[in-house]
Amino acid sequence: MTGSSPTGLEESAETSAAPRVISAPCRNKPADGDSLDFEVIGGVPFCFYRFTDRAFMEHLQALCLAVEGDIMKLPVADNWDAEQSDQEMPQFGTTSRFPYYNMLLLEDVAVIHIFRAIQRCYLTAAEHQSLDQSPVWVQCWENVLRRDGHLHKHAHSFFMHGHLTVATPGSNTGYEFENGDAIEIKNEPGLLTLIGRAGVMHYTTPNPTDEPRISMAFDLCRVPEMNNGTLNRHTFIPLL
Ligand SMILES: [Fe+2]
């Protein structure tokens, strides 16, 4: 039988030959065309991963919209009303169901690329902060915001968190830092942002159009945050 092996290397006709040697996949190396950047902003470590494949992002957009209906059948998170009470227009979309599903468990091959990008960003941020190699878990949900929809100012209690812009008709994510700095970063489809610290206040600007603004957001968790109480309330899965 002739042909290439799955790795692209020609199979040896010599059955007695020594085992062939191939390179193991490198978890830290971004896919061709994608980029990974680390920067400290406002005293907080940020990692940015950019997906550059347009077809991939369009597929992701269709996937996010396809599952929206089923997500909306899930219950709203406890205390969601109270958390939204400072808003003129409370959001009760897919974001409000965030503890009860994990986008990284969807049966679609696209999500493995997001999983890997989060891994790469985490490993980069962890290296800069000299973190040990304790196990890390991830939970991922989607935000689908239509006209005037936005995420009001809030912070995450988990030690790292982030978001991937899937589609946007024009919006920014704003950050307010403990050192007094405040910035807004333009949301671009394909831009995955990891914020390497808990408690960073952030928000999104309102969607000015009828086109949905879609993003996927995630929390990272590890011991001691990760305990049975956390597992009972959320749907974390192992990241590393
Ligand atoms: Fe957030």
Side-chain angles (χ1 to χ4, degrees), residues 57-74:
M57 295 313 302
E58 287 171 356
H59 174 81
L60 213 50
Q61 179 177 1
L63 178 67
C64 287
L65 290 174
V67 298
E68 183 184 10
D70 280 342
I71 293 171
M72 291 301 289
K73 294 174 187 168
L74 296 169

Side-chain angles (χ1 to χ4, degrees), residues 141 143 151-152 154-156 161-163 195 200 202-203 217-219:
W141 63 95
N143 307 304
L151 299 174
H152 69 142
H154 66 283
H156 298 219
H161 52 99
H163 51 89
I195 301 137
V200 178
H202 59 283
Y203 60 90
F218 55 90
D219 283 326

Side-chain angles (χ1 to χ4, degrees), residues 2-240:
T2 60
S4 298
S5 71
T7 58
L9 299 176
E10 291 296 325
E11 290 180 3
S12 170
E14 290 220 24
T15 54
S16 60
R20 63 203 171 109
V21 177
I22 61 170
S23 297
C26 179
R27 192 176 269 157
N28 288 310
K29 184 176 179 295
D32 288 347
D34 294 353
S35 64
L36 178 65
D37 298 289
F38 177 86
E39 192 170 340
V40 176
I41 304 173
V44 172
F46 277 76
C47 200
F48 301 101
Y49 187 97
R50 285 178 173 82
F51 289 101
T52 53
D53 188 329
R54 209 165 150 180
F56 172 72
M57 295 313 302
E58 287 171 356
H59 174 81
L60 213 50
Q61 179 177 1
L63 178 67
C64 287
L65 290 174
V67 298
E68 183 184 10
D70 280 342
I71 293 171
M72 291 301 289
K73 294 174 187 168
L74 296 169
V76 172
D78 291 345
N79 301 321
W80 188 257
D81 285 24
E83 289 181 19
Q84 302 288 304
S85 62
D86 60 333
Q87 283 206 92
E88 290 178 14
M89 190 177 74
Q91 305 292 328
F92 287 95
T94 54
T95 311
S96 67
R97 277 80 175 168
F98 77 95
Y100 302 115
Y101 64 100
N102 194 323
M103 293 293 282
L104 298 176
L105 289 175
L106 289 179
E107 290 184 19
D108 190 296
V109 72
V111 300
I112 192 64
H113 298 292
I114 301 166
F115 192 87
R116 291 291 190 214
I118 295 172
Q119 282 183 327
R120 291 168 185 143
C121 283
Y122 169 71
L123 287 169
T124 301
E127 184 179 355
H128 278 84
Q129 297 180 66
S130 300
L131 297 184
D132 61 35
Q133 296 183 8
S134 299
V136 177
W137 285 263
V138 60
Q139 181 178 10
C140 181
W141 63 95
E142 71 170 7
N143 307 304
V144 181
L145 299 168
R146 295 187 168 79
R147 179 172 282 281
D148 298 329
H150 65 281
L151 299 174
H152 69 142
K153 197 188 299 181
H154 66 283
H156 298 219
S157 58
F158 294 105
F159 83 118
M160 291 192 193
H161 52 99
H163 51 89
L164 164 64
T165 300
V166 176
T168 179
S171 63
N172 297 337
T173 297
Y175 300 90
E176 295 178 0
F177 303 102
E178 286 183 354
N179 67 3
D181 288 351
I183 59 159
E184 286 192 357
I185 297 178
K186 189 166 178 255
N187 293 320
E188 302 166 22
L191 176 62
L192 187 152
T193 304
L194 173 75
I195 301 137
R197 185 170 300 169
V200 178
M201 297 302 292
H202 59 283
Y203 60 90
T204 63
T205 55
N207 180 353
T209 75
D210 290 323
E211 296 294 314
R213 174 199 177 275
I214 303 169
S215 63
M216 295 169 67
F218 55 90
D219 283 326
L220 302 187
C221 184
R222 62 177 187 164
V223 173
E225 296 167 332
M226 173 52 73
N227 51 45
N228 285 338
T230 306
L231 285 174
N232 285 339
R233 288 195 306 274
H234 303 274
T235 47
F236 281 92
I237 60 172
L239 178 71
L240 282 166

